[in-house]
Amino acid sequence: MTDTISYFGYGSLVNCDTRTPGSIVARGTLSGWVREWRIAGPTPRGGVCSLTVRPEAGTDIRGLMVREHSSGLAALDEREGRYDRVDLDEGSFCADPDAPAHDGRGFVYRARSEHYRWGDADHPILLSYVDCVLAGFYRHWGEAGVRHFIETTHGWHVPILDDREAPRYPRAVALGEDLLGLIDAALADADVRWLVAA
């Protein structure tokens, strides 16, 4: 269908509250890619570290193949302004058994080379961003999805800034106490680093 686009969401795009209303999603696994906290630089909200992916044989990450009208591509490209669109190899995406059928064709957003670097104390991971992403994974795969994301994402050496009380992430979402507690416990188990105020 030439009037639609399909793309693999592996971070905030897994959360339906951040996507174009009416998009159709297929839960599944993308093979041959690894997810990283490895796109860092200045933004209107200060220096931050965001998610990206890179090819790596023998790896798999969960996410969503999203289909929407092609008229949304310009806005999507603007949202992902520090990324390039990369076409996915045929057969690299496998939909979950209970997900809508998908032919596997699509693209993924990968960090542009000039932004591809690990975050640091001046470019931390925002907890409000982590919350948004993990809420999406929880909605689709429950606690196992939260654990999968943490276990299969590289770069937890990058410090996290706790900005829940005053979110700096532009697509921050409000979460219930139970989910926040689950996220906090999962992060504690992963022994992540926290940004300590000077």
Side-chain angles (χ1 to χ4, degrees):
M1 297 175 62
T2 58
D3 61 343
T4 63
I5 56 171
S6 292
Y7 53 90
F8 183 77
Y10 53 85
S12 61
L13 287 168
V14 174
N15 191 317
C16 66
D17 294 330
T18 78
R19 294 193 313 269
T20 303
S23 57
I24 299 171
V25 302
R27 297 180 302 278
T29 302
L30 182 66
S31 298
W33 292 82
V34 65
R35 182 174 36 232
E36 305 175 305
W37 289 109
R38 203 171 180 178
I39 175 169
T43 73
R45 302 166 305 283
V48 299
C49 180
S50 302
L51 288 166
T52 187
V53 289
R54 64 171 169 81
E56 183 173 301
T59 60
D60 301 293
I61 53 174
R62 288 180 181 172
L64 301 180
M65 189 65 80
V66 183
R67 180 182 290 123
E68 65 174 82
H69 195 273
S70 58
S71 61
L73 183 58
L76 190 62
D77 281 347
E78 182 177 0
R79 165 179 172 160
E80 309 296 336
R82 296 188 294 171
Y83 299 76
D84 288 324
R85 275 188 268 131
V86 178
D87 289 335
L88 294 171
D89 292 338
E90 186 174 352
S92 60
F93 174 77
C94 180
D96 288 353
D98 60 345
H102 194 281
D103 59 16
R105 291 179 294 178
F107 60 85
V108 67
Y109 283 101
R110 181 184 181 186
R112 293 181 177 174
S113 58
E114 63 266 32
H115 304 296
Y116 185 60
R117 55 186 176 273
W118 298 112
D120 52 31
D122 295 322
H123 305 87
I125 300 166
L126 301 180
L127 183 58
S128 57
Y129 182 11
V130 176
D131 287 343
C132 175
V133 173
L134 292 183
F137 275 79
Y138 181 79
R139 182 174 297 176
H140 289 286
W141 294 284
E143 183 174 353
V146 172
R147 301 284 178 177
H148 166 87
F149 176 89
I150 293 174
E151 292 167 3
T152 60
T153 301
H154 296 190
W156 293 107
H157 64 279
V158 179
I160 301 175
L161 172 66
D162 185 350
D163 65 333
R164 273 183 183 156
E165 295 302 315
R168 289 170 51 184
Y169 182 58
R171 287 173 283 277
V173 293
L175 305 180
E177 290 300 320
D178 287 348
L179 181 52
L180 289 175
L182 187 155
I183 290 172
D184 288 345
L187 292 174
D189 289 346
D191 196 25
V192 300
R193 293 181 58 202
W194 295 94
L195 185 64
V196 178

